[in-house]
Amino acid sequence: AEPIKIGSVLSVTGPAAFLGDPELKTMQMYIEELNKKGGVLGRQLQLVHYDDGSDANKANGFAKRLIDDDKVDILIGGTTTGSTMSMVPLAQKANIPFISLAGAVIIIEPVKSWVFKMAHTDRMAAEKVFEDMQKRGISKVALLSETSGFGNSGKKETEGVAAKYGITLVANETYGPKDTDASPQLTKIKNTAGVQAVFVFGLGQGPAIVTKNYKQLGIKLPLYHSHGVASEEFIKLAGPSAEGVRFPAAALLVADKLPANDPQKPVVTAYAKAFKDKWKTDVSTFGGHAYDGLMLMADAMTRAKSTDKAKVRDAIEATKGYIGTGGKVNMSATDHMGLDLSSFRLLEVKNGDWTLVQ
Amino acid sequence: MLRVSSMESCYGRIKALKGISLEVRRGETVALVGANGAGKTTFLRTLSGVQPMSAGSIHFDGEDISRLRSDMRMRRGICQSPEGRQVFGPLSIDDNLRLGAYTQPKHQVEGDLEKVFAMFPILKEKRKLPAGTLSGGQQQMLAIGRALMGRPKMLLLDEPSMGLAPLLVEEVFNVVKTLKAQGMTILLVEQNAFAALAIADRGYVLETGNVTLTGTGQELISNEQVRAAYLGM
Amino acid sequence: MALLEVKQLSIQFGGVKAVQNVSFSIEPGIVYAVIGPNGAGKTTLFNLITGVYTPTSGSILLDGESIGGKPPNELARRGVARTFQNLQICMNMSALENVMVGAHLRLDRNPLKAALRFPSIKRRDAELREESAELMRFVGLEKYIEARADSMPYGALKRLEIARALALKPRIIFLDEPAAGLNPKETIEVDELVRKVADSGVTVVLVEHDMKMVMNLSDRILVLDYGKKLTEGTGDEVRKNPDVIAAYLGTHA
Amino acid sequence: MKKNAYVGLYIVIAILLVLPFVLPNSFYVDLAIRMAINAVIVLGLNLLIGFAGQISMGHAGFLGIGAYASAVLPTHFGWHPLLAMGAGAVATGLLAALVARPIFKLKGHYLAMATLGLGIIINIVLRTEAALTGGPDGMPVPALGLLGFELSSDKHWYWVVALLLSVSVWASLNLIDSPFGRALRALHGSEVASQVAGVDVVRYKVSIFVISAVFASLMGSVTAHYVGFVTPNFADFFHSIELVTMVVIGGMASVYGSLVGAVLLTALPQALATFEGWETVAFGTILMICMIFMPRGLVPTLAAKFGKGA
Amino acid sequence: MAQFLQFLFSGMTVGATYALAALGFTLIYNASNVINFAQGEFIMLGGMLAVFFTQAGLPLPIALVLAILVPAIVGVVLEKLAIEPVKGAETVTLIIITIGASLVIRGLIQVWLGKGTHSLPAFSGDVPIEILGATLMPQSLWVLGVTGLVVVALWYFFSRTLHGKAMLATSFNRLAAELVGINTSWVLFMSFAMSAALGAVGGILVTPITLTSYDVGIMLGLKGFVAAVVGGLGNGLGAVLGGLLVGILEAMGAGYISSAYKDAIPFVLILFMLFFMPRGLFGGKSTDRV
Ligand SMILES: Nc1ncnc2c1ncn2[C@@H]1O[C@H](COP(=O)(O)OP(=O)(O)OP(=O)(O)O)[C@@H](O)[C@H]1O
Ligand SMILES: Nc1ncnc2c1ncn2[C@@H]1O[C@H](COP(=O)(O)OP(=O)(O)OP(=O)(O)O)[C@@H](O)[C@H]1O
Ligand SMILES: [Mg+2]
Ligand SMILES: [Mg+2]
């Protein structure tokens, strides 16, 4: 039979390569694996992938190519929110299911009939962090966000939910994704009266530099990050400065530390092991989103017993209780992500390793 | 000392030299005359190795230097004062002259500098100024001085009197005469054909990339064709 | 009234006083020569009058109107044209186009009309092409009408500059060493050329080291030395002036 | 400029007429549209860089202004898209005119750096004013209606853009072979010479800068409507460099070179997309090889080789 | 006061990395008038290779020597293969070539060493030095110190030695340089080797502060170019001051005005400065005459 064509546009190079790279690796690895097991619906899977270089305009062009020229059956990808959003109108127009791996809430709010997303939202990250702050009695927070799409959207959501947790943002600074120093911003925050904790919303090496600067400047306040630091690389880069940093992340990152009865345990340990064995690099939760997207698709197609686009879409929307690396997914007509706050775990760096904050 | 046989050189697809053969003996002064575009400048540049030669050969001091890089030719003693002066504008006059002696041993440089300054006092006066601010004629002096700093065995002068005041034209021709008397070999391209031929032992007439006439300086001066075409008489 | 009047003109570069308190005036229709040793300030004087440099002090009057410090394009508008001692040729264009640029001010320069290919513009351009070719023949460059500027020998480029300056239809033209790099025969050609230009009513101001040409052509001569005016007069007066002989001419002329 | 310069125009038109009927699917139509849009921008930029010899490394900034005018004004203020497009062009023109005078005091690398800075500033503003522009993630752009009928299908877009391109080529050819165009080329060759000939050098530099900026802005608007989504990448430094590269690869001061450059460099990333990790290396290598063997650009070098006018 | 000082230190540290990049530009520009947009990649190579060789288990001194030597060779290869063949081409052509080269270098490193970010341990530990309430990292002193040394060395070379003058002469007038017997190919060769090595040294020095990955060269190259132009192209001291100026403006901008616009602030000020100093802080006056 004809192979099932999976079209994907990922940011494998450029500023968001940090996310896109493990996503692509995961897709390649698991498509191979699925094919070894006989594929889906008895058909082999074929990945058609293009790298948008973290440029949303390119993503738009490639999405068109996937739909019109490659004639793929489904779209998985859009590493960044920008890329995703530039592809959304095309998917909607072409009536093709589209599973995004990006984070921002706007992807699924308002709901777009053909668009789903796997990653936790930035709003959830902010809420998870604020929840913990609330527990510790922190109410005055300084926000330091990155001027990338990720950080910018995170900033907006953070500002939006702060009040709900009784938190005021007494400082609101930004740094650039390629900055090599954030001491001026941190100095300013340090000298702001009343700050009780600092929340950094960024991705990749930026947060590591911020964390180092934080230590250098001798700031003693609790430091929170977003789920954007959820990879081993962060600890390596920030070194001892990372001690005590807290951030929300999917279960994947602490696969071996999960209690044995955690429903996600088998999924995440298997994925983490497979990924490390195959690529000899550490896992990141972003690769996990690709895994979830792919498996969800396979699941939906199996349930739909067809690759018919409308049927697959309906099947995805009907997903209930699917356990992925990101958590338990319960989709519905009004919720195209299907994750709740419980799917996020709060981690803390202790002795150069993650620990679960209970 | 110098033997050039059937030299050819092209700019793109246009052949500017079409097989020039010429000889200069040790201690001789040879003048090259010809109308605009005859190829005099091209010839000198090809000799110095800054313009590619597409055919022919150059022998200097018995050695085939046709394939030699320009700086190696300079080291063999071929120095040129180029057309259009080509001074190093932002560098001082002093530095320009010192660079003229780039291939020479250090100890002789100060002495040579003084010789050039004696020849063109104005250069000494302005020695710390950037060469680019000099007037046209002053730059011409600098170009000649720079070539002399290289202690040439054979000096190539491309229109050395261009833009010089009458007094200095005389001076430059006197310099050429003196150098000649000191035994230097000189290849002189001049529009001031009369003066050039007058001090030259021999001359060549170039026309659109070919040598059309040759003879001693006096012969050429008295040649009717030359008088009509180049001397305006 | 004098066409051009220069009063107490000076300019200084750092410590170098290149032109100092120079005054003179030029009557319309004559050939006026400026001579002097190398570095006397002749080119600088041209640069001042044609607006390339701004004077440190002094005034320049064209038709009684002050033009000191006005940009060159403004002066071109008033009929001032020039050539350069250090060639200024547009090497990215053909020889003919170089000449056509000289006629810039006499054309309709509206970009919109040009982009829409108004017939009037096209017609005028075709005429100008003819006119410019004619000018090239006039300066003896018939051989190079089709040539690219960057493939022309030095001497030809000198004349191309003259053609370009003439294309402006100037009232006064400044020639900086037009005969440099030309052999005696070619110099005579340029000599005749300048004569023809002057005869057509254009005032010519000439810097030249070829004394034969200067004496032949000029109605009046200004002699500069070290940026200062040494003397001014007719050819004969200047030739016999002992200061001029000592500073410039030598025994030779 | 020879008479046969216009022959190329007829060939271009002929190709544009035939193309939609031979392209296998709408992806290729899409590619053709993007090529044509880039070609128009590059034509304008080549007037500035190739003909007038003034480099701009910030032109994507102007493109960005146009694109965002078309996105922001209709979305947030309910403007008609055509009005927004016009407003973007006017704003770009004003901005370009405002900065041009001081900027064009600069030469060479100093000019390059100033224009680069200008582009970066524009980009940062678009990135930062997230409330209006959607920030780094960009924002959707409403569809463009023309005389009551909405441009939605690729074919419609194709014909619009093809017409724009043909007109632009024609106008560029006309312009460079006019007194205005000659003055531009002359000031490239020698500023004082052209000034002495009466060319108001500053004014010409400013005019062509403004013209090319407005071109870029308009085409930015067109792209925005066509793609339906804008991001600050429209205006970023790399895009500026990409545009300059198109000019140089195709051939400076060559109208048809602009087309060739735009077509090649729009197609190349698509062609290399399947190289998986090696795209950057391949792209860089191709750039270098082109420039090393054809330093004057494709069209002028080939034209010189086969003895035709450029 | 402490706050101001902190901004200043921070700006100087960042600025010194820009300055090191700018010095590389200066060196090549002075020999060839070429702006080498691949300069940033040499910096990247220095850092990445130092990380790679130390991780590969080589002893530190050998790792560092290799991390400097390899980029130097890359620089020389670039010059021989890509710059030498197109001598006399237009500036933009050369710019595009060096951009192409930077893509190739970056791409190869990406394929070879991956996209990860890496760090090197600081040379003299991580204990910040306190000065009047502000802190400065010892590594910053390394960067500043080496930058200072390089400037002095370059100044001496270009203004006091004949070989330095010969290099300048080559950039001003290649034809005349050849006529006075300068081997211009060798001059270009050396300039690329030196600036690549210099870039690599810079890369090694700044990695403990800035971290490194295959794509850090883009930003450093860009900022280095800006710094070199601000200082006045071709002037070593200018390059350093330009770098420090950009760095300090960014830090002050982030601290006092708006961190969102901190990258734009230096550009705005620089544009203003260029209007009054069209050839940068120390750019020589034009000596062209007509
Ligand atoms: N860069 C160039 N490109 C193409 N052709 C050129 C170039 N330079 C010179 N030529 C051509 O080569 C021929 C010889 O030129 P060359 O400069 O050697 O003449 P010349 O005898 O020195 O003239 P002049 O007396 O004017 O200096 C001329 O026909 C000229 O048109
Ligand atoms: N831009 C400048 N900066 C510094 N000095 C200058 C500048 N322009 C001219 N000078 C100086 O002014 C003096 C006059 O130069 P100018 O070129 O006017 O001489 P000239 O009379 O034309 O000489 P020539 O006959 O050699 O062409 C020279 O000493 C020159 O060094
Ligand atoms: Mg000549
Ligand atoms: Mg002069």
Side-chain angles (χ1 to χ4, degrees):
Chain A
E2 284 263 300
I4 298 173
K5 281 189 165 184
I6 303 170
S8 100
V9 179
L10 299 169
S11 306
V12 181
T13 53
F18 179 68
L19 314 179
D21 191 55
E23 288 169 357
L24 177 61
K25 286 183 169 142
T26 304
M27 298 276 277
Q28 288 169 335
M29 178 168 98
Y30 277 93
I31 285 177
E32 197 179 305
E33 176 129 354
L34 284 173
N35 282 341
K36 258 189 237 147
K37 289 184 191 156
V40 174
L41 300 172
R43 290 163 66 187
Q44 293 283 293
L45 301 177
Q46 184 194 338
L47 177 68
V48 188
H49 167 260
Y50 300 116
D51 169 22
D52 65 21
S54 308
D55 178 345
N57 293 318
K58 285 205 184 123
N60 175 283
F62 283 130
K64 209 163 215 159
R65 181 165 174 183
L66 287 172
I67 296 169
D68 291 333
D69 193 40
D70 299 315
K71 309 227 180 318
V72 297
D73 295 295
I74 187 167
L75 291 172
I76 299 183
T79 299
T80 64
T81 304
S83 296
T84 299
M85 293 309 288
S86 80
M87 289 156 67
V88 163
L90 299 175
Q92 289 289 88
K93 200 167 121 192
N95 295 342
I96 181 168
F98 174 24
I99 302 178
S100 164
L101 308 180
V105 182
I106 45 165
I107 298 171
I108 45 156
E109 248 176 50
V111 173
K112 297 159 193 76
S113 47
W114 294 88
V115 183
F116 300 88
K117 99 186 221 15
M118 286 297 110
H120 308 92
T121 64
D122 32 19
R123 184 185 299 161
M124 289 164 67
E127 289 189 277
K128 192 78 189 174
V129 165
F130 286 158
E131 214 178 62
D132 189 54
M133 289 182 172
Q134 212 176 18
K135 264 189 233 159
R136 292 165 104 183
I138 293 167
S139 63
K140 289 196 169 134
V141 173
L143 176 64
L144 177 58
S145 60
E146 191 171 272
T147 56
S148 61
F150 181 82
N152 184 63
S153 167
K155 174 179 171 219
K156 207 167 82 191
E157 298 301 332
T158 305
E159 288 164 352
V161 297
K164 193 168 134 198
Y165 292 85
I167 283 176
T168 40
L169 298 175
V170 288
N172 200 338
E173 297 290 323
T174 61
Y175 71 90
K178 287 276 153 202
D179 280 3
T180 54
D181 181 43
S183 338
Q185 292 92 323
L186 289 172
T187 305
K188 215 169 147 187
I189 287 174
K190 185 182 173 187
N191 295 342
T192 306
V195 180
Q196 291 170 301
V198 180
F199 182 22
V200 179
F201 217 116
L203 203 59
Q205 86 272 27
I209 289 178
V210 171
T211 308
K212 278 181 138 189
N213 293 157
Y214 201 77
K215 190 65 169 280
Q216 285 156 19
L217 292 171
I219 306 178
K220 301 280 186 292
L221 304 170
L223 176 60
Y224 286 84
H225 279 279
S226 73
H227 55 311
V229 302
S231 88
E232 298 278 345
E233 202 177 63
F234 172 73
I235 293 191
K236 274 189 207 149
L237 293 177
S241 317
E243 272 318 285
V245 166
R246 288 188 172 192
F247 66 95
L252 177 57
L253 221 46
V254 281
D256 48 342
K257 298 189 185 67
L258 290 176
N261 61 357
D262 193 300
Q264 275 186 276
K265 180 113 182 171
V267 178
V268 292
T269 27
Y271 170 77
K273 179 166 171 355
F275 190 90
K276 275 191 201 169
D277 286 351
K278 165 104 187 186
W279 301 104
K280 313 279 176 262
T281 52
D282 297 317
V283 280
S284 80
T285 56
F286 311 106
H289 302 322
Y291 171 84
D292 292 349
L294 189 68
M295 290 308 167
L296 201 76
M297 175 211 84
D299 179 56
M301 283 181 180
T302 314
R303 278 186 282 121
K305 299 195 184 60
S306 145
T307 55
D308 178 79
K309 298 192 177 82
K311 287 191 185 138
V312 172
R313 189 211 82 88
D314 293 342
I316 298 177
E317 196 169 75
T319 302
K320 288 282 179 294
Y322 163 84
I323 309 275
T325 65
K328 190 197 262 179
V329 180
N330 289 310
M331 297 271 186
S332 73
T334 53
D335 183 358
H336 275 194
M337 174 176 68
L339 293 168
D340 61 26
L341 216 51
S342 69
S343 56
F344 251 147
R345 320 293 163 110
L346 194 73
L347 309 186
E348 183 177 313
V349 181
K350 267 197 192 136
N351 302 322
D353 195 8
W354 318 119
T355 51
L356 273 166
V357 178
Q358 298 310 327
Chain B
M1 180 172 213
L2 177 79
R3 205 177 70 242
V4 176
S5 33
S6 42
M7 175 194 280
E8 290 184 14
S9 180
C10 314
Y11 292 99
R13 286 184 298 180
I14 302 157
K15 215 179 248 184
L17 302 181
K18 302 169 185 162
I20 295 205
S21 299
L22 152 167
E23 212 166 322
V24 183
R25 287 184 282 271
R26 192 176 303 279
E28 222 180 10
T29 297
V30 171
L32 225 54
V33 297
N36 285 150
K40 308 179 292 292
T41 300
T42 310
F43 176 70
L44 290 194
R45 287 179 181 218
T46 314
L47 264 189
S48 280
V50 292
Q51 160 79 23
M53 181 168 80
S54 42
S57 69
I58 310 169
H59 286 263
F60 183 70
D61 258 352
E63 182 194 3
D64 184 353
I65 59 164
S66 320
R67 299 271 157 266
L68 228 47
R69 260 198 340 253
S70 57
D71 57 307
M72 297 315 282
R73 298 192 196 187
M74 163 85 192
R75 280 170 204 273
R76 300 279 191 289
I78 302 179
C79 300
Q80 179 173 167
S81 156
E83 175 182 84
R85 304 161 200 137
Q86 314 280 359
V87 298
F88 302 116
L91 291 181
S92 71
I93 286 152
D94 224 57
D95 287 339
N96 267 273
L97 291 172
R98 282 175 200 277
L99 281 170
Y102 185 72
T103 57
Q104 301 299 308
K106 271 214 170 85
H107 61 84
Q108 68 187 37
V109 171
E110 293 304 323
D112 287 359
L113 258 182
E114 284 313 316
K115 280 185 206 156
V116 171
F117 286 149
M119 211 176 292
F120 304 116
I122 185 75
L123 294 184
K124 184 166 194 176
E125 212 175 286
K126 297 193 167 249
R127 62 190 291 178
K128 297 283 170 230
L129 293 177
T133 65
L134 292 180
S135 82
Q138 292 164 342
Q139 290 187 11
Q140 186 63 53
M141 301 174 212
L142 181 57
I144 298 171
R146 189 179 60 190
L148 291 175
M149 288 297 289
R151 294 233 174 148
K153 280 197 209 155
M154 175 157 145
L155 178 62
L156 313 181
L157 294 172
D158 199 344
E159 309 205 16
S161 77
M162 184 163 80
L164 292 185
L167 258 177
L168 270 156
V169 174
E170 229 172 290
E171 171 68 25
V172 165
F173 279 104
N174 285 336
V175 169
V176 173
K177 273 186 217 153
T178 320
L179 292 172
K180 182 182 166 188
Q182 289 165 0
M184 193 182 289
T185 313
I186 298 168
L187 189 53
L188 179 63
V189 166
E190 252 299 334
Q191 291 296 7
N192 196 340
F194 193 85
L197 289 173
I199 59 166
D201 299 309
R202 291 186 305 114
Y204 288 86
V205 177
L206 243 58
E207 234 168 74
T208 55
N210 289 303
V211 175
T212 51
L213 210 62
T214 170
T216 65
Q218 283 312 317
E219 278 168 15
L220 290 178
I221 288 182
S222 41
N223 180 305
E224 273 314 312
Q225 249 174 297
V226 174
R227 290 175 77 91
Y230 304 111
L231 303 181
M233 292 188 233
Chain C
M1 192 180 67
L3 176 61
L4 183 76
E5 203 175 346
V6 170
K7 288 185 203 154
Q8 298 293 317
L9 195 63
S10 302
I11 188 168
Q12 208 169 327
F13 301 103
V16 183
K17 292 179 174 151
V19 170
Q20 286 182 66
N21 295 327
V22 171
S23 305
F24 60 92
S25 64
I26 301 178
E27 297 302 318
I30 67 168
V31 175
Y32 189 89
V34 182
I35 61 172
N38 295 117
K42 306 177 293 295
T43 301
T44 308
L45 183 66
F46 272 25
N47 283 342
L48 285 168
I49 299 176
T50 56
V52 176
Y53 291 158
T54 308
T56 315
S57 66
S59 63
I60 309 165
L61 305 175
L62 185 71
D63 283 331
E65 200 182 327
S66 172
I67 55 164
K70 287 217 157 61
N73 48 299
E74 190 55 43
L75 294 173
R77 203 174 287 282
R78 292 163 200 245
V80 177
R82 72 170 287 186
T83 67
F84 296 90
Q85 180 177 16
N86 295 339
L87 289 177
Q88 295 293 324
I89 297 288
C90 303
M91 292 299 183
N92 55 340
M93 299 163 84
S94 72
L96 189 70
E97 283 179 321
N98 265 281
V99 180
M100 290 169 79
V101 168
H104 180 72
L105 287 174
R106 296 192 282 123
L107 304 170
D108 184 346
R109 304 177 293 277
N110 185 327
L112 195 63
K113 280 187 185 170
L116 298 179
R117 205 176 157 83
F118 271 40
S120 61
I121 292 203
K122 281 282 122 187
R123 205 175 324 113
R124 186 71 191 87
D125 239 40
E127 282 167 25
L128 180 64
R129 207 167 279 274
E130 239 343 282
E131 212 179 306
S132 303
E134 191 48 49
L135 268 174
M136 285 183 70
R137 282 181 213 112
F138 181 68
V139 298
L141 289 178
E142 49 283 333
K143 205 162 105 190
Y144 295 101
I145 289 175
E146 299 283 323
R148 296 165 49 96
D150 62 2
S151 71
M152 290 166 67
Y154 186 88
L157 292 175
K158 280 248 67 134
R159 282 190 258 186
L160 188 61
E161 285 221 339
I162 301 178
R164 180 175 64 197
L166 290 175
L168 185 79
K169 295 238 160 104
R171 290 197 297 149
I172 180 164
I173 185 169
F174 291 80
L175 303 174
D176 201 345
E177 305 199 12
L182 302 185
N183 67 35
K185 175 169 173 264
E186 291 161 340
T187 307
I188 294 171
E189 289 168 21
V190 169
D191 196 326
E192 283 161 9
L193 180 68
V194 175
R195 184 82 276 153
K196 275 195 275 182
V197 172
D199 288 346
S200 69
V202 181
T203 310
V204 177
V205 187
L206 178 72
V207 165
E208 185 48 63
H209 289 302
D210 185 317
M211 276 312 111
K212 215 153 83 207
M213 178 169 177
V214 170
M215 294 304 166
N216 234 337
L217 281 173
S218 10
D219 298 304
R220 278 188 83 72
I221 299 175
L222 168 72
V223 188
L224 292 181
D225 191 21
Y226 285 103
K228 293 196 192 108
K229 177 168 166 178
L230 193 66
T231 179
E232 189 191 353
T234 64
D236 274 338
E237 286 163 16
V238 165
R239 187 167 18 200
K240 294 193 185 106
N241 184 318
D243 289 343
V244 178
I245 292 172
Y248 182 61
L249 295 173
T251 49
H252 178 90
Chain D
M1 194 57 48
K2 288 164 199 154
K3 279 259 153 30
N4 64 16
Y6 289 88
V7 173
L9 175 63
Y10 305 135
I11 297 174
V12 169
I13 293 177
I15 293 176
L16 286 173
L17 284 175
V18 177
L19 212 51
F21 303 103
V22 297
L23 289 177
N25 62 41
S26 69
F27 159 66
Y28 290 94
V29 178
D30 170 67
L31 197 58
I33 294 172
R34 289 173 196 253
M35 285 171 175
I37 290 176
N38 279 337
V40 177
I41 301 169
V42 174
L43 274 175
L45 194 57
N46 207 344
L47 289 179
L48 179 72
I49 298 182
F51 289 99
Q54 309 297 315
I55 194 164
S56 167
M57 303 230 290
H59 245 55
F62 300 127
L63 195 92
I65 296 181
Y68 272 88
S70 288
V72 172
L73 296 178
T75 308
H76 292 291
F77 304 98
W79 288 35
H80 188 275
L82 278 182
L83 194 61
M85 192 186 275
V90 170
T92 306
L94 287 177
L95 176 70
L98 188 75
V99 295
R101 256 168 207 279
I103 274 191
F104 282 112
K105 270 200 203 163
L106 306 175
K107 295 200 165 62
H109 296 298
Y110 295 91
L111 179 63
M113 126 97 231
T115 47
L116 181 151
L118 181 67
I120 288 182
I121 293 172
I122 295 173
N123 184 247
I124 292 177
V125 173
L126 295 179
R127 241 170 233 286
T128 308
E129 296 306 318
L132 280 177
T133 63
D137 280 336
M139 66 185 289
V141 186
L144 175 63
L146 270 183
L147 311 169
F149 120 124
E150 187 164 300
L151 269 174
S152 52
S153 91
D154 282 354
K155 288 272 150 116
H156 290 164
W157 272 106
Y158 178 86
W159 293 117
V160 170
V161 174
L163 180 70
L164 276 176
L165 178 62
S166 312
V167 172
S168 306
V169 172
W170 179 71
S172 299
L173 287 173
N174 294 342
L175 194 65
I176 54 170
D177 194 22
S178 76
F180 183 88
R182 241 186 339 263
L184 287 183
R185 287 182 287 145
L187 73 85
H188 183 186
S190 161
E191 265 185 39
V192 306
S194 51
Q195 223 173 355
V196 164
V199 178
D200 186 342
V201 168
V202 178
R203 204 172 118 200
Y204 274 78
K205 286 183 187 174
V206 172
S207 324
I208 196 61
F209 187 62
V210 171
I211 290 174
S212 69
V214 169
F215 255 67
S217 170
L218 286 173
M219 294 322 283
S221 295
V222 170
T223 320
H225 283 300
Y226 171 64
V227 175
F229 198 84
V230 291
T231 70
N233 292 84
F234 265 80
D236 80 6
F237 166 68
F238 300 103
H239 195 189
S240 293
I241 295 292
E242 208 178 327
L243 294 173
V244 175
T245 310
M246 290 179 187
V247 171
V248 180
I249 290 260
M252 302 233 294
S254 162
V255 169
Y256 298 115
S258 308
L259 307 190
V260 172
V263 165
L264 283 186
L265 283 191
T266 315
L268 199 55
Q270 292 288 343
L272 297 178
T274 47
F275 265 52
E276 203 64 31
W278 290 88
E279 295 108 314
T280 328
V281 181
F283 190 78
T285 311
I286 292 172
L287 275 194
M288 286 173 76
I289 290 178
C290 280
M291 295 287 49
I292 292 169
F293 293 104
M294 292 179 268
R296 291 164 55 214
L298 280 162
V299 171
T301 310
L302 294 179
K305 200 158 233 162
F306 302 109
K308 274 212 188 133
Chain E
M1 179 61 197
Q3 179 165 329
F4 174 80
L5 216 56
Q6 188 63 55
F7 294 159
L8 190 68
F9 288 168
S10 165
M12 274 166 59
T13 303
V14 175
T17 67
Y18 299 164
L20 272 172
L23 284 172
F25 279 101
T26 305
L27 200 53
I28 289 185
Y29 180 81
N30 274 350
S32 59
N33 269 332
V34 174
I35 286 288
N36 175 24
F37 273 93
Q39 186 62 31
E41 307 310 321
F42 296 144
I43 303 176
M44 179 274 288
L45 276 179
M48 287 297 280
L49 291 177
V51 170
F52 172 73
F53 287 131
T54 45
Q55 279 178 0
L58 290 180
L60 193 67
I62 297 183
L64 293 188
V65 169
L66 280 179
I68 296 169
L69 204 62
V70 174
I73 294 170
V74 173
V76 164
V77 170
L78 168 63
E79 192 274 329
K80 277 288 156 218
L81 291 186
I83 306 294
E84 182 82 25
V86 288
K87 53 183 173 192
E90 293 233 24
T91 322
V92 246
T93 303
L94 288 162
I95 288 184
I96 303 290
I97 289 180
T98 57
I99 288 176
S102 77
L103 291 177
V104 172
I105 297 173
R106 192 186 312 147
L108 286 174
I109 289 295
Q110 177 206 314
V111 173
W112 179 37
L113 296 178
K115 279 170 270 190
T117 306
H118 307 274
S119 176
L120 276 179
F123 296 7
S124 324
D126 268 325
V127 186
I129 307 164
E130 276 231 23
I131 304 166
L132 299 171
T135 59
L136 184 65
M137 296 304 290
Q139 190 67 24
S140 308
L141 294 180
W142 272 98
V143 177
L144 286 166
V146 170
T147 310
L149 272 181
V150 173
V151 183
V152 173
L154 284 186
W155 168 81
Y156 182 81
F157 179 66
F158 281 117
S159 68
R160 287 290 181 274
T161 70
L162 195 61
H163 289 286
K165 297 266 167 65
M167 220 179 228
L168 289 172
T170 305
S171 82
F172 297 144
N173 191 331
R174 189 160 168 153
L175 172 77
E178 283 174 1
L179 286 177
V180 297
I182 296 168
N183 183 348
T184 53
S185 303
W186 176 248
V187 164
L188 283 185
F189 186 88
M190 281 314 290
S191 73
F192 272 79
M194 280 159 64
S195 82
L198 176 61
V201 170
I204 296 169
L205 283 172
V206 303
T207 298
I209 304 176
T210 63
L211 311 182
T212 189
S213 63
Y214 77 102
D215 61 352
V216 291
I218 308 173
M219 204 270 302
L220 280 172
L222 192 64
K223 292 282 170 73
F225 170 61
V226 172
V229 173
V230 167
L233 272 173
N235 186 304
L237 185 62
V240 170
L241 291 182
L244 291 177
L245 184 71
V246 174
I248 292 172
L249 285 176
E250 276 178 10
M252 297 287 168
Y256 288 120
I257 306 175
S258 148
S259 49
Y261 279 106
K262 80 171 182 26
D263 285 318
I265 291 163
F267 277 113
V268 173
L269 294 176
I270 285 165
L271 288 184
F272 265 104
M273 187 206 85
L274 283 179
F275 299 156
F276 299 103
M277 283 187 259
R279 299 175 74 87
L281 292 172
F282 290 100
K285 273 213 219 77
S286 163
T287 50
D288 293 343
R289 292 197 46 197
V290 288

